[in-house]
Amino acid sequence: MKKLIIFIVALSLIACRSTKTKLSISKNELAGTWQWISKTGGFAGKTIQASQTGNHIILKISSTLFEKYENGKRIFAQPYNVLKDKSIRATDSIPMLVFKSGEKQSFEVVNDSLLIYDECFDCYQNIYIKK
């Protein structure tokens, strides 16, 4: 009976472990300055171009800090990690930006483009180009 209890406890611990794992994507791939081009999403799936808004949004990403500037004013700055985690967009774990606050965004780097996805339904996908 004692062995059965130990087995059940061990199995429970294994089943409850975190799905977050370190990712092979280097933070160097994200490092740099990125200019916002457009966003798509929302309830209507609308695409909004940066040129339509008059807003100039820049991301400055280092190996430790993620900063967002809107029209020259810093509106967001937090340490971050890159992890592979569950997403509402996929059944498998995918690359995520995980901020110190606990907020998560999934992302993809495709050539000179950075696609960042808000992790909520009817939210936006933002596209940035590396400067």
Side-chain angles (χ1 to χ4, degrees):
M1 183 70 172
K2 187 175 181 180
K3 288 182 182 181
L4 179 62
I5 292 172
I6 291 172
F7 176 74
I8 291 172
V9 169
L11 189 60
S12 298
L13 291 173
I14 291 169
C16 294
R17 74 172 193 231
S18 174
T19 59
K20 295 179 184 177
T21 56
K22 287 288 183 182
L23 193 60
S24 62
I25 292 178
S26 167
K27 285 186 174 183
N28 290 335
E29 198 174 349
L30 291 172
T33 302
W34 300 85
Q35 182 174 348
W36 179 60
I37 301 301
S38 67
K39 67 180 179 178
T40 302
F43 181 71
K46 187 176 180 182
T47 297
I48 300 169
Q49 302 292 331
S51 58
Q52 295 172 304
T53 67
N55 287 336
H56 184 70
I57 298 173
I58 296 289
L59 300 181
K60 290 185 179 179
I61 305 173
S62 73
S63 63
T64 58
L65 189 64
F66 186 102
E67 298 175 280
K68 184 175 183 179
Y69 293 82
E70 186 170 333
N71 299 322
K73 182 180 177 185
R74 187 167 80 170
I75 60 170
F76 181 87
Q78 281 196 26
Y80 75 100
N81 278 313
V82 175
L83 301 173
K84 196 171 183 182
D85 200 2
K86 296 277 185 189
S87 169
I88 63 169
R89 298 186 319 104
T91 56
D92 294 331
S93 294
I94 61 173
M96 299 284 250
L97 295 165
V98 181
F99 299 99
K100 186 177 179 180
S101 65
E103 179 184 354
K104 298 188 299 186
Q105 293 180 304
S106 53
F107 73 95
E108 296 176 69
V109 177
V110 180
N111 298 322
D112 66 343
S113 297
L114 173 62
L115 290 74
I116 298 180
Y117 304 89
D118 295 332
E119 283 294 308
C120 55
F121 296 106
D122 296 327
C123 287
Y124 286 91
Q125 165 195 321
N126 288 276
I127 300 173
Y128 298 86
I129 299 293
K130 197 162 198 173
K131 290 180 75 175

Short mmCIF file of all heavy atoms in Angstrom, two decimals, residues 92-121:
data_model
loop_
_atom_site.label_atom_id
_atom_site.label_comp_id
_atom_site.label_asym_id
_atom_site.label_seq_id
_atom_site.Cartn_x
_atom_site.Cartn_y
_atom_site.Cartn_z
N ASP A 92 0.24 22.88 -29.68
CA ASP A 92 1.58 22.63 -29.15
C ASP A 92 2.11 23.88 -28.45
O ASP A 92 1.61 24.99 -28.67
CB ASP A 92 2.55 22.27 -30.27
CG ASP A 92 2.20 20.93 -30.92
OD1 ASP A 92 1.62 20.07 -30.21
OD2 ASP A 92 2.49 20.76 -32.11
N SER A 93 3.12 23.71 -27.63
CA SER A 93 3.79 24.85 -27.02
C SER A 93 4.55 25.61 -28.10
O SER A 93 5.15 25.02 -28.99
CB SER A 93 4.76 24.37 -25.94
OG SER A 93 4.04 23.79 -24.88
N ILE A 94 4.50 26.94 -28.00
CA ILE A 94 5.15 27.80 -29.00
C ILE A 94 5.95 28.90 -28.31
O ILE A 94 5.80 29.12 -27.10
CB ILE A 94 4.10 28.41 -29.97
CG1 ILE A 94 3.08 29.27 -29.22
CG2 ILE A 94 3.39 27.32 -30.77
CD1 ILE A 94 2.14 30.02 -30.14
N PRO A 95 6.81 29.62 -29.05
CA PRO A 95 7.62 30.68 -28.44
C PRO A 95 6.75 31.79 -27.84
O PRO A 95 5.80 32.25 -28.46
CB PRO A 95 8.44 31.22 -29.61
CG PRO A 95 8.43 30.15 -30.63
CD PRO A 95 7.13 29.43 -30.46
N MET A 96 7.12 32.19 -26.63
CA MET A 96 6.37 33.24 -25.91
C MET A 96 7.33 34.25 -25.32
O MET A 96 8.40 33.89 -24.82
CB MET A 96 5.58 32.63 -24.76
CG MET A 96 4.55 31.62 -25.17
SD MET A 96 3.12 32.40 -25.89
CE MET A 96 1.96 32.10 -24.62
N LEU A 97 6.92 35.50 -25.36
CA LEU A 97 7.56 36.54 -24.56
C LEU A 97 6.84 36.51 -23.22
O LEU A 97 5.63 36.66 -23.17
CB LEU A 97 7.37 37.91 -25.21
CG LEU A 97 8.03 38.13 -26.56
CD1 LEU A 97 7.47 39.37 -27.23
CD2 LEU A 97 9.52 38.23 -26.40
N VAL A 98 7.58 36.31 -22.15
CA VAL A 98 6.99 36.27 -20.82
C VAL A 98 7.62 37.41 -20.02
O VAL A 98 8.82 37.42 -19.77
CB VAL A 98 7.25 34.92 -20.12
CG1 VAL A 98 6.60 34.90 -18.75
CG2 VAL A 98 6.72 33.77 -20.99
N PHE A 99 6.77 38.38 -19.65
CA PHE A 99 7.25 39.57 -18.96
C PHE A 99 7.24 39.39 -17.45
O PHE A 99 6.54 38.52 -16.92
CB PHE A 99 6.39 40.78 -19.37
CG PHE A 99 6.48 41.06 -20.84
CD1 PHE A 99 5.49 40.62 -21.69
CD2 PHE A 99 7.56 41.73 -21.37
CE1 PHE A 99 5.57 40.85 -23.06
CE2 PHE A 99 7.65 41.97 -22.73
CZ PHE A 99 6.65 41.53 -23.58
N LYS A 100 8.00 40.22 -16.77
CA LYS A 100 8.10 40.14 -15.31
C LYS A 100 6.72 40.23 -14.66
O LYS A 100 6.46 39.61 -13.64
CB LYS A 100 9.01 41.25 -14.80
CG LYS A 100 9.29 41.17 -13.32
CD LYS A 100 10.25 42.24 -12.87
CE LYS A 100 10.48 42.13 -11.38
NZ LYS A 100 11.40 43.16 -10.91
N SER A 101 5.81 40.98 -15.27
CA SER A 101 4.45 41.16 -14.74
C SER A 101 3.61 39.90 -14.85
O SER A 101 2.54 39.81 -14.27
CB SER A 101 3.75 42.29 -15.48
OG SER A 101 3.56 41.93 -16.85
N GLY A 102 4.08 38.92 -15.66
CA GLY A 102 3.31 37.70 -15.89
C GLY A 102 2.60 37.69 -17.23
O GLY A 102 2.11 36.66 -17.68
N GLU A 103 2.51 38.85 -17.88
CA GLU A 103 1.88 38.94 -19.19
C GLU A 103 2.68 38.12 -20.19
O GLU A 103 3.90 38.06 -20.14
CB GLU A 103 1.84 40.40 -19.64
CG GLU A 103 1.22 40.62 -20.99
CD GLU A 103 1.28 42.08 -21.45
OE1 GLU A 103 1.72 42.95 -20.69
OE2 GLU A 103 0.91 42.31 -22.61
N LYS A 104 1.95 37.46 -21.13
CA LYS A 104 2.59 36.65 -22.16
C LYS A 104 2.07 37.04 -23.53
O LYS A 104 0.89 37.35 -23.68
CB LYS A 104 2.30 35.16 -21.94
CG LYS A 104 2.82 34.60 -20.65
CD LYS A 104 2.67 33.10 -20.56
CE LYS A 104 1.26 32.62 -20.64
NZ LYS A 104 1.11 31.16 -20.41
N GLN A 105 2.97 37.00 -24.51
CA GLN A 105 2.60 37.20 -25.90
C GLN A 105 3.37 36.18 -26.73
O GLN A 105 4.59 36.02 -26.55
CB GLN A 105 2.93 38.61 -26.37
CG GLN A 105 2.09 39.68 -25.71
CD GLN A 105 2.46 41.07 -26.22
OE1 GLN A 105 3.60 41.47 -26.14
NE2 GLN A 105 1.47 41.77 -26.73
N SER A 106 2.69 35.51 -27.64
CA SER A 106 3.39 34.61 -28.54
C SER A 106 3.97 35.44 -29.68
O SER A 106 3.53 36.56 -29.95
CB SER A 106 2.45 33.51 -29.05
OG SER A 106 1.29 34.05 -29.61
N PHE A 107 5.01 34.87 -30.33
CA PHE A 107 5.67 35.64 -31.38
C PHE A 107 6.32 34.72 -32.40
O PHE A 107 6.53 33.53 -32.16
CB PHE A 107 6.73 36.58 -30.79
CG PHE A 107 7.96 35.87 -30.30
CD1 PHE A 107 9.07 35.76 -31.11
CD2 PHE A 107 8.01 35.30 -29.03
CE1 PHE A 107 10.21 35.09 -30.68
CE2 PHE A 107 9.13 34.64 -28.59
CZ PHE A 107 10.24 34.53 -29.42
N GLU A 108 6.64 35.31 -33.54
CA GLU A 108 7.40 34.66 -34.61
C GLU A 108 8.35 35.68 -35.20
O GLU A 108 7.99 36.85 -35.32
CB GLU A 108 6.49 34.19 -35.74
CG GLU A 108 5.48 33.15 -35.40
CD GLU A 108 4.59 32.85 -36.59
OE1 GLU A 108 5.10 32.26 -37.58
OE2 GLU A 108 3.42 33.20 -36.54
N VAL A 109 9.54 35.25 -35.56
CA VAL A 109 10.47 36.09 -36.31
C VAL A 109 10.58 35.46 -37.68
O VAL A 109 10.96 34.30 -37.82
CB VAL A 109 11.85 36.17 -35.64
CG1 VAL A 109 12.81 36.99 -36.49
CG2 VAL A 109 11.73 36.77 -34.24
N VAL A 110 10.19 36.23 -38.71
CA VAL A 110 10.23 35.75 -40.08
C VAL A 110 11.04 36.76 -40.89
O VAL A 110 10.58 37.89 -41.13
CB VAL A 110 8.81 35.60 -40.68
CG1 VAL A 110 8.88 35.09 -42.11
CG2 VAL A 110 7.94 34.72 -39.81
N ASN A 111 12.26 36.35 -41.26
CA ASN A 111 13.19 37.24 -41.97
C ASN A 111 13.40 38.51 -41.15
O ASN A 111 13.86 38.46 -40.04
CB ASN A 111 12.72 37.51 -43.39
CG ASN A 111 12.65 36.25 -44.22
OD1 ASN A 111 13.50 35.37 -44.08
ND2 ASN A 111 11.64 36.13 -45.05
N ASP A 112 12.99 39.67 -41.69
CA ASP A 112 13.17 40.93 -40.95
C ASP A 112 11.88 41.40 -40.30
O ASP A 112 11.74 42.56 -39.93
CB ASP A 112 13.73 42.02 -41.88
CG ASP A 112 12.76 42.42 -42.99
OD1 ASP A 112 11.79 41.66 -43.25
OD2 ASP A 112 12.95 43.48 -43.59
N SER A 113 10.91 40.49 -40.13
CA SER A 113 9.62 40.84 -39.51
C SER A 113 9.45 40.13 -38.18
O SER A 113 9.83 38.98 -38.02
CB SER A 113 8.47 40.43 -40.42
OG SER A 113 8.51 41.13 -41.64
N LEU A 114 8.87 40.85 -37.24
CA LEU A 114 8.51 40.31 -35.92
C LEU A 114 6.99 40.36 -35.81
O LEU A 114 6.40 41.42 -35.93
CB LEU A 114 9.17 41.14 -34.82
CG LEU A 114 8.76 40.82 -33.37
CD1 LEU A 114 9.15 39.39 -33.01
CD2 LEU A 114 9.41 41.81 -32.42
N LEU A 115 6.38 39.20 -35.62
CA LEU A 115 4.94 39.12 -35.44
C LEU A 115 4.68 38.80 -33.98
O LEU A 115 5.18 37.81 -33.45
CB LEU A 115 4.34 38.01 -36.31
CG LEU A 115 4.33 38.27 -37.82
CD1 LEU A 115 5.70 38.14 -38.42
CD2 LEU A 115 3.38 37.34 -38.49
N ILE A 116 3.91 39.67 -33.32
CA ILE A 116 3.59 39.48 -31.91
C ILE A 116 2.08 39.34 -31.78
O ILE A 116 1.31 40.15 -32.29
CB ILE A 116 4.08 40.67 -31.04
CG1 ILE A 116 5.60 40.76 -31.14
CG2 ILE A 116 3.62 40.50 -29.60
CD1 ILE A 116 6.19 41.90 -30.33
N TYR A 117 1.68 38.26 -31.10
CA TYR A 117 0.26 37.93 -30.95
C TYR A 117 -0.17 38.12 -29.50
O TYR A 117 0.44 37.55 -28.59
CB TYR A 117 0.00 36.48 -31.34
CG TYR A 117 0.47 36.12 -32.73
CD1 TYR A 117 1.76 35.67 -32.95
CD2 TYR A 117 -0.39 36.25 -33.81
CE1 TYR A 117 2.18 35.34 -34.23
CE2 TYR A 117 0.03 35.91 -35.09
CZ TYR A 117 1.32 35.46 -35.29
OH TYR A 117 1.74 35.12 -36.56
N ASP A 118 -1.21 38.91 -29.27
CA ASP A 118 -1.79 39.02 -27.94
C ASP A 118 -2.43 37.67 -27.60
O ASP A 118 -3.03 37.03 -28.46
CB ASP A 118 -2.85 40.12 -27.90
CG ASP A 118 -2.27 41.50 -28.13
OD1 ASP A 118 -1.08 41.71 -27.81
OD2 ASP A 118 -3.01 42.37 -28.62
N GLU A 119 -2.29 37.25 -26.38
CA GLU A 119 -2.81 35.94 -25.95
C GLU A 119 -4.22 36.08 -25.37
O GLU A 119 -4.45 35.90 -24.18
CB GLU A 119 -1.87 35.30 -24.93
CG GLU A 119 -0.64 34.70 -25.56
CD GLU A 119 -0.97 33.51 -26.45
OE1 GLU A 119 -1.65 32.58 -26.01
OE2 GLU A 119 -0.51 33.52 -27.61
N CYS A 120 -5.15 36.46 -26.23
CA CYS A 120 -6.56 36.53 -25.85
C CYS A 120 -7.39 36.44 -27.12
O CYS A 120 -6.91 36.71 -28.21
CB CYS A 120 -6.87 37.81 -25.07
SG CYS A 120 -6.41 39.33 -25.92
N PHE A 121 -8.63 36.04 -26.97
CA PHE A 121 -9.51 35.94 -28.12
C PHE A 121 -9.92 37.34 -28.56
O PHE A 121 -10.09 38.24 -27.75
CB PHE A 121 -10.75 35.08 -27.79
CG PHE A 121 -10.38 33.66 -27.49
CD1 PHE A 121 -10.40 33.18 -26.19
CD2 PHE A 121 -9.99 32.81 -28.51
CE1 PHE A 121 -10.05 31.87 -25.91
CE2 PHE A 121 -9.63 31.50 -28.26
CZ PHE A 121 -9.67 31.03 -26.95
#
